[in-house]
Amino acid sequence: MKKRITVIGGGAWGTALAIQAVRAGADVELILRNPDLAEQINANGENDLYLPGVSLPGALRATTAYDGLRDADAVLLVTPAQHLRETLTKLAAHWTDNLPAVICCKGIEKETGALMAQVVTETLGNVPVAVLSGPTFAKEVATGLPAAITLACEDRGLGKRLVELIGTPEFRPYFSTDVAGVEVAGAIKNVLAIASGVVAGLELGDNARAALITRGIAEMSRLAVAMGGRVETMLGLAGLGDLTLTCTGTLSRNYTFGVALGQGRKSADILGERRSVTEGVYTAASITAVAMKYQVEMPICTAVDQVANHGRDLRSTINGLLQRPFRDELETAQ
């Protein structure tokens, strides 16, 4: 029987995942909010707004309707994290109890501090949930370059079926049961990528960036454990892999946002020029609140929040980080 996959969200990553699902042998429905973009995609075979220059396969159809949702084998949720609750509220009437929701967005909800799996449960009820996360730039996946990614699901049987549903030799999902850990890693790496961009924008050097990535993993690990995740997940594709890519790759929206901050530009001006969402800016605020709730110290993420969301002076913020007391490297609370 032909596989059917629905992708919610027609940005660059949603479009790339839709292309990948076709490569895996599925008929794919890409659901967008913009009817003009859906019409353009179907007519021209290209998403020239978010993924220009990449041809879309014939088995991919764009739509703004939700009618075909019930026939899908799985639904990939690729809306911006801060819009997921609103999107799922609209979709709830079309969702069946056994239809898996695969979360492909990364972030912590700003208003509630909830991870995306919690948002799914609160809006759709007790439906099957999985998380897809890892080091993947959309255009590279869309053009078929090799990539590996984590697929996390508490139900091992379902997780393995989803791996087979979307995996190909060039797009390799590795299975995990650590849903919370994968979600925390995916959210925090965007914030740390902004910090890494600042290091580049200020020309602080490769030593500083390596230190930031390493201490960033320490912050990521502390919060992940506090929220029910596992430390070893932080050393895998969803943690170290995604963090390394996002903290060094110039295709990263969060990294380039940080570079612009480091070069002296204001947060509002940078965001005002962008069509796509820079998730790390919103997640920085969420993480600061969540870290306080769980009594986890996260100085790098807090500093990003202060600069990106509250206009704090960049140089004085960095000096504050550098003047923190010396600690044992593996000390738990830092």
Side-chain angles (χ1 to χ4, degrees), residues 179-197:
V179 172
V182 169
E183 282 217 77
V184 171
I188 295 178
K189 67 93 185 178
N190 284 330
V191 181
L192 297 173
I194 293 175
S196 181

Side-chain angles (χ1 to χ4, degrees), residues 242-321:
D242 207 1
L243 181 62
T244 301
L245 179 71
T246 317
C247 284
T248 60
T250 56
L251 292 177
S252 165
R253 293 189 299 271
N254 296 286
Y255 176 80
T256 55
F257 174 85
V259 171
L261 280 181
Q263 292 171 341
R265 301 195 60 202
K266 300 297 184 182
S267 178
D269 294 337
I270 305 166
L271 295 175
E273 297 172 352
R274 296 186 164 199
R275 177 180 293 117
S276 298
V277 175
T278 305
E279 287 282 8
V281 176
Y282 305 99
T283 303
S286 306
I287 285 176
T288 300
V290 171
M292 290 179 63
K293 174 184 176 181
Y294 286 95
Q295 298 183 327
V296 174
E297 196 170 3
M298 303 183 71
I300 299 173
C301 291
T302 300
V304 171
D305 179 40
Q306 289 296 313
V307 172
N309 293 312
H310 302 285
R312 184 172 175 181
D313 179 72
L314 184 56
R315 286 287 185 178
S316 64
T317 303
I318 292 173
N319 288 338
L321 288 173

Side-chain angles (χ1 to χ4, degrees), residues 72-298:
D73 294 303
V75 179
L76 309 187
L77 302 173
V78 207
T79 63
Q82 304 307 322
H83 298 161
L84 183 62
R85 186 181 296 272
E86 175 189 359
T87 301
L88 293 182
T89 300
K90 295 176 181 178
L91 290 174
H94 302 271
W95 209 282
T96 58
D97 291 341
N98 295 320
L99 178 59
V102 184
I103 299 164
C104 305
C105 50
K106 302 170 184 178
I108 296 175
E109 193 172 46
K110 185 176 180 180
E111 299 300 326
T112 66
L115 295 172
M116 297 297 100
Q118 182 180 341
V119 174
V120 171
T121 300
E122 290 175 356
T123 51
L124 299 181
N126 192 30
V127 302
V129 176
V131 179
L132 191 70
S133 186
T136 45
F137 283 146
K139 190 161 188 177
E140 293 189 8
V141 171
T143 55
L145 295 177
I149 197 165
T150 299
L151 192 147
C153 184
E154 293 179 358
D155 182 333
R156 181 175 291 273
L158 172 62
K160 294 291 188 179
R161 290 197 299 273
L162 291 172
V163 165
E164 294 297 327
L165 187 67
I166 64 170
T168 59
E170 292 78 24
F171 186 84
R172 302 182 55 79
Y174 285 77
F175 177 71
S176 169
T177 57
D178 187 10
V179 172
V182 169
E183 282 217 77
V184 171
I188 295 178
K189 67 93 185 178
N190 284 330
V191 181
L192 297 173
I194 293 175
S196 181
V198 169
V199 169
L202 287 171
E203 299 183 353
L204 298 181
D206 291 336
N207 292 346
R209 178 160 60 183
L212 182 140
I213 291 172
T214 307
R215 297 312 303 160
I217 291 176
E219 292 191 16
M220 185 186 288
S221 299
R222 289 195 294 271
L223 187 62
V225 170
M227 297 185 75
R230 300 195 295 266
V231 171
E232 55 265 33
T233 299
M234 305 305 108
L235 303 179
L237 290 163
L240 178 60
D242 207 1
L243 181 62
T244 301
L245 179 71
T246 317
C247 284
T248 60
T250 56
L251 292 177
S252 165
R253 293 189 299 271
N254 296 286
Y255 176 80
T256 55
F257 174 85
V259 171
L261 280 181
Q263 292 171 341
R265 301 195 60 202
K266 300 297 184 182
S267 178
D269 294 337
I270 305 166
L271 295 175
E273 297 172 352
R274 296 186 164 199
R275 177 180 293 117
S276 298
V277 175
T278 305
E279 287 282 8
V281 176
Y282 305 99
T283 303
S286 306
I287 285 176
T288 300
V290 171
M292 290 179 63
K293 174 184 176 181
Y294 286 95
Q295 298 183 327
V296 174
E297 196 170 3
M298 303 183 71

